[in-house]
Amino acid sequence: MAGSVDETRGTLSAQLLKGQKALVTGANSGIGLATAVALGRAGADVVVNYVVGADEAEKVVAQIKEFGVRSYAHQADVSDEDQVVAMVARMVEEFGTIDIMVANAGLQRDAPVTEMTHAQWKKVIDVNLTGQFLCAREAAKEFVRRGVVKEVSRSAGKIICMSSVHQIVPWSGHVNYASSKGGVGMLMQTLAQELAPKGIRVNAVAPGAIRTPINKDAWSTPEAEADLLRLIPYRRVGDPDDIANAVVAVASDLLDYVVGATLYVDGGMTLFPGFATGG
Ligand code: NAD
């Protein structure tokens, strides 16, 4: 059934994105991996960006190709301007254009503020914020050049910024990360305002706690998981597919009137769970 959720796998299975060309950064692990696969399942051709881990990236490419769409892996550091420019240029050469940019790559370098080095601060801002700016800019240039192709999509292109609940929730011991995601929120809104008149939709997906390598310490022992669940009213840690499905929906014309929005996919983590009993 068109647009239905596959009951057995809990994933969007319809060809919502047939004929579209997508690029996902940091797509050989966690949320990016699940998103790249979900976009392929939805009918898009997909570029799998990675910075390290060529073997993992090739495995993702093989998985995507099973859906009968095109895919290749491309190594680039999203915080390096020349590499991002070359990555999008190659995509336009190989796939003809780009319709969906998922700026997902991100990392943490945690420390109390009194111990945080300038290098830790800079690395996180460079990858999580500047990286998203560079990827969005290069995609926007191609969207503006090409414009709307109505047989493909109602919009001239979609940029989806991978944010976090820490776009709005302060996070002690992670000032670099929280600042980068707060910045992603304003990057997204400003780009959405600037690019909407050109038919481009810019939105953010903001995950809560999702089971991936980035936060393994928070869920890999029963004690840690119990602690984490106190912060999640829905009482389950999210899976990468929870986020991948949201990205497919936001990228599709089903959500064509959604512009400049942040979709929190967090089991209610942003509902101030401490106030359920306190306050
Ligand atoms: P992950 O560590 O599994 O994946 C991160 C990916 O980004 C990896 O493939 C990594 O190699 C890549 N990456 C890192 N630096 C890069 C660079 N310079 N250039 C290109 N790629 C680079 O973690 P994840 O949980 O899948 O994280 C994906 C995104 O989701 C991040 O932006 C993260 O902040 C966000 N997020 C995750 C959670 C969560 O609970 N897992 C919650 C909120 C937000």
PDB file of all heavy atoms in Angstrom, residues 81-106:
ATOM      1  N   GLU A  81      36.054  22.115   3.197  1.00  0.00           N
ATOM      2  CA  GLU A  81      35.280  22.766   2.122  1.00  0.00           C
ATOM      3  C   GLU A  81      35.542  22.125   0.754  1.00  0.00           C
ATOM      4  O   GLU A  81      34.604  21.798   0.021  1.00  0.00           O
ATOM      5  CB  GLU A  81      35.611  24.262   2.082  1.00  0.00           C
ATOM      6  CG  GLU A  81      34.816  25.007   1.030  1.00  0.00           C
ATOM      7  CD  GLU A  81      34.972  26.521   1.132  1.00  0.00           C
ATOM      8  OE1 GLU A  81      35.955  26.990   1.746  1.00  0.00           O
ATOM      9  OE2 GLU A  81      34.096  27.232   0.591  1.00  0.00           O
ATOM     10  N   ASP A  82      36.819  21.947   0.413  1.00  0.00           N
ATOM     11  CA  ASP A  82      37.145  21.402  -0.911  1.00  0.00           C
ATOM     12  C   ASP A  82      36.560  20.001  -1.095  1.00  0.00           C
ATOM     13  O   ASP A  82      36.080  19.649  -2.176  1.00  0.00           O
ATOM     14  CB  ASP A  82      38.665  21.336  -1.113  1.00  0.00           C
ATOM     15  CG  ASP A  82      39.273  22.736  -1.201  1.00  0.00           C
ATOM     16  OD1 ASP A  82      38.505  23.697  -1.399  1.00  0.00           O
ATOM     17  OD2 ASP A  82      40.510  22.848  -1.046  1.00  0.00           O
ATOM     18  N   GLN A  83      36.622  19.211  -0.031  1.00  0.00           N
ATOM     19  CA  GLN A  83      36.116  17.829  -0.137  1.00  0.00           C
ATOM     20  C   GLN A  83      34.591  17.802  -0.303  1.00  0.00           C
ATOM     21  O   GLN A  83      34.058  16.957  -1.023  1.00  0.00           O
ATOM     22  CB  GLN A  83      36.544  17.022   1.092  1.00  0.00           C
ATOM     23  CG  GLN A  83      38.058  16.789   1.135  1.00  0.00           C
ATOM     24  CD  GLN A  83      38.485  15.894   2.296  1.00  0.00           C
ATOM     25  OE1 GLN A  83      37.762  15.002   2.721  1.00  0.00           O
ATOM     26  NE2 GLN A  83      39.681  16.138   2.816  1.00  0.00           N
ATOM     27  N   VAL A  84      33.898  18.713   0.366  1.00  0.00           N
ATOM     28  CA  VAL A  84      32.429  18.762   0.226  1.00  0.00           C
ATOM     29  C   VAL A  84      32.050  19.242  -1.180  1.00  0.00           C
ATOM     30  O   VAL A  84      31.163  18.673  -1.829  1.00  0.00           O
ATOM     31  CB  VAL A  84      31.796  19.666   1.316  1.00  0.00           C
ATOM     32  CG1 VAL A  84      30.296  19.846   1.058  1.00  0.00           C
ATOM     33  CG2 VAL A  84      32.023  19.076   2.697  1.00  0.00           C
ATOM     34  N   VAL A  85      32.751  20.251  -1.664  1.00  0.00           N
ATOM     35  CA  VAL A  85      32.489  20.759  -3.015  1.00  0.00           C
ATOM     36  C   VAL A  85      32.692  19.635  -4.034  1.00  0.00           C
ATOM     37  O   VAL A  85      31.853  19.398  -4.915  1.00  0.00           O
ATOM     38  CB  VAL A  85      33.395  21.978  -3.333  1.00  0.00           C
ATOM     39  CG1 VAL A  85      33.316  22.365  -4.808  1.00  0.00           C
ATOM     40  CG2 VAL A  85      33.015  23.163  -2.437  1.00  0.00           C
ATOM     41  N   ALA A  86      33.798  18.895  -3.888  1.00  0.00           N
ATOM     42  CA  ALA A  86      34.099  17.808  -4.832  1.00  0.00           C
ATOM     43  C   ALA A  86      33.069  16.680  -4.725  1.00  0.00           C
ATOM     44  O   ALA A  86      32.695  16.069  -5.739  1.00  0.00           O
ATOM     45  CB  ALA A  86      35.513  17.272  -4.558  1.00  0.00           C
ATOM     46  N   MET A  87      32.598  16.421  -3.510  1.00  0.00           N
ATOM     47  CA  MET A  87      31.625  15.330  -3.307  1.00  0.00           C
ATOM     48  C   MET A  87      30.312  15.620  -4.034  1.00  0.00           C
ATOM     49  O   MET A  87      29.759  14.743  -4.719  1.00  0.00           O
ATOM     50  CB  MET A  87      31.371  15.156  -1.799  1.00  0.00           C
ATOM     51  CG  MET A  87      30.280  14.165  -1.457  1.00  0.00           C
ATOM     52  SD  MET A  87      30.276  13.753   0.299  1.00  0.00           S
ATOM     53  CE  MET A  87      29.682  15.293   1.010  1.00  0.00           C
ATOM     54  N   VAL A  88      29.823  16.846  -3.914  1.00  0.00           N
ATOM     55  CA  VAL A  88      28.547  17.192  -4.565  1.00  0.00           C
ATOM     56  C   VAL A  88      28.745  17.300  -6.081  1.00  0.00           C
ATOM     57  O   VAL A  88      27.886  16.859  -6.859  1.00  0.00           O
ATOM     58  CB  VAL A  88      27.944  18.479  -3.947  1.00  0.00           C
ATOM     59  CG1 VAL A  88      26.677  18.892  -4.685  1.00  0.00           C
ATOM     60  CG2 VAL A  88      27.639  18.257  -2.457  1.00  0.00           C
ATOM     61  N   ALA A  89      29.907  17.820  -6.496  1.00  0.00           N
ATOM     62  CA  ALA A  89      30.191  17.913  -7.943  1.00  0.00           C
ATOM     63  C   ALA A  89      30.206  16.518  -8.576  1.00  0.00           C
ATOM     64  O   ALA A  89      29.643  16.308  -9.656  1.00  0.00           O
ATOM     65  CB  ALA A  89      31.525  18.619  -8.167  1.00  0.00           C
ATOM     66  N   ARG A  90      30.834  15.558  -7.885  1.00  0.00           N
ATOM     67  CA  ARG A  90      30.860  14.186  -8.421  1.00  0.00           C
ATOM     68  C   ARG A  90      29.442  13.605  -8.504  1.00  0.00           C
ATOM     69  O   ARG A  90      29.081  12.930  -9.474  1.00  0.00           O
ATOM     70  CB  ARG A  90      31.738  13.284  -7.534  1.00  0.00           C
ATOM     71  CG  ARG A  90      31.719  11.841  -8.011  1.00  0.00           C
ATOM     72  CD  ARG A  90      32.532  10.923  -7.117  1.00  0.00           C
ATOM     73  NE  ARG A  90      32.317   9.532  -7.452  1.00  0.00           N
ATOM     74  CZ  ARG A  90      32.606   8.515  -6.653  1.00  0.00           C
ATOM     75  NH1 ARG A  90      33.138   8.736  -5.466  1.00  0.00           N
ATOM     76  NH2 ARG A  90      32.364   7.277  -7.029  1.00  0.00           N
ATOM     77  N   MET A  91      28.632  13.900  -7.497  1.00  0.00           N
ATOM     78  CA  MET A  91      27.259  13.379  -7.501  1.00  0.00           C
ATOM     79  C   MET A  91      26.478  13.921  -8.697  1.00  0.00           C
ATOM     80  O   MET A  91      25.740  13.181  -9.360  1.00  0.00           O
ATOM     81  CB  MET A  91      26.564  13.744  -6.190  1.00  0.00           C
ATOM     82  CG  MET A  91      25.141  13.236  -6.129  1.00  0.00           C
ATOM     83  SD  MET A  91      24.461  13.457  -4.492  1.00  0.00           S
ATOM     84  CE  MET A  91      22.809  12.805  -4.768  1.00  0.00           C
ATOM     85  N   VAL A  92      26.643  15.204  -8.967  1.00  0.00           N
ATOM     86  CA  VAL A  92      25.938  15.813 -10.102  1.00  0.00           C
ATOM     87  C   VAL A  92      26.420  15.178 -11.409  1.00  0.00           C
ATOM     88  O   VAL A  92      25.638  14.927 -12.324  1.00  0.00           O
ATOM     89  CB  VAL A  92      26.126  17.352 -10.095  1.00  0.00           C
ATOM     90  CG1 VAL A  92      25.581  17.979 -11.373  1.00  0.00           C
ATOM     91  CG2 VAL A  92      25.455  17.957  -8.860  1.00  0.00           C
ATOM     92  N   GLU A  93      27.711  14.868 -11.448  1.00  0.00           N
ATOM     93  CA  GLU A  93      28.263  14.224 -12.640  1.00  0.00           C
ATOM     94  C   GLU A  93      27.720  12.792 -12.804  1.00  0.00           C
ATOM     95  O   GLU A  93      27.294  12.398 -13.879  1.00  0.00           O
ATOM     96  CB  GLU A  93      29.786  14.158 -12.470  1.00  0.00           C
ATOM     97  CG  GLU A  93      30.560  14.219 -13.778  1.00  0.00           C
ATOM     98  CD  GLU A  93      32.039  14.319 -13.451  1.00  0.00           C
ATOM     99  OE1 GLU A  93      32.465  15.407 -13.031  1.00  0.00           O
ATOM    100  OE2 GLU A  93      32.750  13.297 -13.599  1.00  0.00           O
ATOM    101  N   GLU A  94      27.700  12.042 -11.684  1.00  0.00           N
ATOM    102  CA  GLU A  94      27.314  10.621 -11.774  1.00  0.00           C
ATOM    103  C   GLU A  94      25.809  10.398 -11.820  1.00  0.00           C
ATOM    104  O   GLU A  94      25.325   9.540 -12.548  1.00  0.00           O
ATOM    105  CB  GLU A  94      27.919   9.840 -10.599  1.00  0.00           C
ATOM    106  CG  GLU A  94      29.433   9.878 -10.620  1.00  0.00           C
ATOM    107  CD  GLU A  94      30.075   8.571 -10.197  1.00  0.00           C
ATOM    108  OE1 GLU A  94      29.364   7.564 -10.033  1.00  0.00           O
ATOM    109  OE2 GLU A  94      31.308   8.573 -10.036  1.00  0.00           O
ATOM    110  N   PHE A  95      25.058  11.155 -11.004  1.00  0.00           N
ATOM    111  CA  PHE A  95      23.601  10.953 -10.914  1.00  0.00           C
ATOM    112  C   PHE A  95      22.812  12.031 -11.671  1.00  0.00           C
ATOM    113  O   PHE A  95      21.598  11.965 -11.722  1.00  0.00           O
ATOM    114  CB  PHE A  95      23.145  10.955  -9.442  1.00  0.00           C
ATOM    115  CG  PHE A  95      23.457   9.702  -8.667  1.00  0.00           C
ATOM    116  CD1 PHE A  95      23.160   9.633  -7.306  1.00  0.00           C
ATOM    117  CD2 PHE A  95      24.017   8.576  -9.276  1.00  0.00           C
ATOM    118  CE1 PHE A  95      23.420   8.481  -6.568  1.00  0.00           C
ATOM    119  CE2 PHE A  95      24.286   7.425  -8.542  1.00  0.00           C
ATOM    120  CZ  PHE A  95      23.990   7.383  -7.191  1.00  0.00           C
ATOM    121  N   GLY A  96      23.501  13.054 -12.163  1.00  0.00           N
ATOM    122  CA  GLY A  96      22.819  14.122 -12.910  1.00  0.00           C
ATOM    123  C   GLY A  96      22.408  15.290 -12.053  1.00  0.00           C
ATOM    124  O   GLY A  96      22.371  16.428 -12.518  1.00  0.00           O
ATOM    125  N   THR A  97      22.109  15.053 -10.781  1.00  0.00           N
ATOM    126  CA  THR A  97      21.684  16.129  -9.889  1.00  0.00           C
ATOM    127  C   THR A  97      21.592  15.609  -8.453  1.00  0.00           C
ATOM    128  O   THR A  97      21.988  14.478  -8.159  1.00  0.00           O
ATOM    129  CB  THR A  97      20.322  16.709 -10.350  1.00  0.00           C
ATOM    130  OG1 THR A  97      20.061  17.927  -9.648  1.00  0.00           O
ATOM    131  CG2 THR A  97      19.172  15.723 -10.136  1.00  0.00           C
ATOM    132  N   ILE A  98      21.077  16.445  -7.570  1.00  0.00           N
ATOM    133  CA  ILE A  98      20.768  16.028  -6.189  1.00  0.00           C
ATOM    134  C   ILE A  98      19.396  16.595  -5.831  1.00  0.00           C
ATOM    135  O   ILE A  98      19.084  17.738  -6.179  1.00  0.00           O
ATOM    136  CB  ILE A  98      21.862  16.485  -5.188  1.00  0.00           C
ATOM    137  CG1 ILE A  98      21.469  16.152  -3.745  1.00  0.00           C
ATOM    138  CG2 ILE A  98      22.199  17.962  -5.332  1.00  0.00           C
ATOM    139  CD1 ILE A  98      22.580  16.359  -2.718  1.00  0.00           C
ATOM    140  N   ASP A  99      18.576  15.781  -5.167  1.00  0.00           N
ATOM    141  CA  ASP A  99      17.251  16.221  -4.711  1.00  0.00           C
ATOM    142  C   ASP A  99      17.163  16.301  -3.194  1.00  0.00           C
ATOM    143  O   ASP A  99      16.351  17.056  -2.661  1.00  0.00           O
ATOM    144  CB  ASP A  99      16.175  15.233  -5.205  1.00  0.00           C
ATOM    145  CG  ASP A  99      16.165  15.096  -6.708  1.00  0.00           C
ATOM    146  OD1 ASP A  99      15.725  16.045  -7.376  1.00  0.00           O
ATOM    147  OD2 ASP A  99      16.628  14.051  -7.218  1.00  0.00           O
ATOM    148  N   ILE A 100      17.949  15.474  -2.499  1.00  0.00           N
ATOM    149  CA  ILE A 100      17.840  15.374  -1.036  1.00  0.00           C
ATOM    150  C   ILE A 100      19.248  15.367  -0.422  1.00  0.00           C
ATOM    151  O   ILE A 100      20.060  14.502  -0.749  1.00  0.00           O
ATOM    152  CB  ILE A 100      17.127  14.059  -0.628  1.00  0.00           C
ATOM    153  CG1 ILE A 100      15.722  13.988  -1.236  1.00  0.00           C
ATOM    154  CG2 ILE A 100      17.068  13.908   0.894  1.00  0.00           C
ATOM    155  CD1 ILE A 100      15.145  12.570  -1.265  1.00  0.00           C
ATOM    156  N   MET A 101      19.515  16.334   0.430  1.00  0.00           N
ATOM    157  CA  MET A 101      20.778  16.343   1.185  1.00  0.00           C
ATOM    158  C   MET A 101      20.453  16.068   2.647  1.00  0.00           C
ATOM    159  O   MET A 101      19.715  16.840   3.271  1.00  0.00           O
ATOM    160  CB  MET A 101      21.467  17.708   1.054  1.00  0.00           C
ATOM    161  CG  MET A 101      22.621  17.937   2.018  1.00  0.00           C
ATOM    162  SD  MET A 101      24.021  16.796   1.812  1.00  0.00           S
ATOM    163  CE  MET A 101      24.901  17.556   0.442  1.00  0.00           C
ATOM    164  N   VAL A 102      20.978  14.978   3.192  1.00  0.00           N
ATOM    165  CA  VAL A 102      20.809  14.700   4.620  1.00  0.00           C
ATOM    166  C   VAL A 102      22.152  14.969   5.294  1.00  0.00           C
ATOM    167  O   VAL A 102      23.106  14.186   5.171  1.00  0.00           O
ATOM    168  CB  VAL A 102      20.349  13.250   4.877  1.00  0.00           C
ATOM    169  CG1 VAL A 102      20.069  13.050   6.372  1.00  0.00           C
ATOM    170  CG2 VAL A 102      19.108  12.905   4.058  1.00  0.00           C
ATOM    171  N   ALA A 103      22.231  16.103   5.990  1.00  0.00           N
ATOM    172  CA  ALA A 103      23.461  16.497   6.683  1.00  0.00           C
ATOM    173  C   ALA A 103      23.438  15.847   8.059  1.00  0.00           C
ATOM    174  O   ALA A 103      22.898  16.398   9.019  1.00  0.00           O
ATOM    175  CB  ALA A 103      23.543  18.015   6.775  1.00  0.00           C
ATOM    176  N   ASN A 104      23.981  14.648   8.111  1.00  0.00           N
ATOM    177  CA  ASN A 104      23.844  13.805   9.312  1.00  0.00           C
ATOM    178  C   ASN A 104      25.126  13.673  10.121  1.00  0.00           C
ATOM    179  O   ASN A 104      25.080  13.507  11.338  1.00  0.00           O
ATOM    180  CB  ASN A 104      23.372  12.410   8.868  1.00  0.00           C
ATOM    181  CG  ASN A 104      23.543  11.370   9.965  1.00  0.00           C
ATOM    182  OD1 ASN A 104      22.771  11.300  10.908  1.00  0.00           O
ATOM    183  ND2 ASN A 104      24.602  10.556   9.838  1.00  0.00           N
ATOM    184  N   ALA A 105      26.282  13.718   9.457  1.00  0.00           N
ATOM    185  CA  ALA A 105      27.549  13.425  10.145  1.00  0.00           C
ATOM    186  C   ALA A 105      27.692  14.256  11.417  1.00  0.00           C
ATOM    187  O   ALA A 105      27.412  15.454  11.425  1.00  0.00           O
ATOM    188  CB  ALA A 105      28.721  13.696   9.209  1.00  0.00           C
ATOM    189  N   GLY A 106      28.142  13.595  12.468  1.00  0.00           N
ATOM    190  CA  GLY A 106      28.318  14.324  13.719  1.00  0.00           C
ATOM    191  C   GLY A 106      29.155  13.521  14.689  1.00  0.00           C
ATOM    192  O   GLY A 106      29.328  12.309  14.523  1.00  0.00           O
TER     193      GLY A 106
END
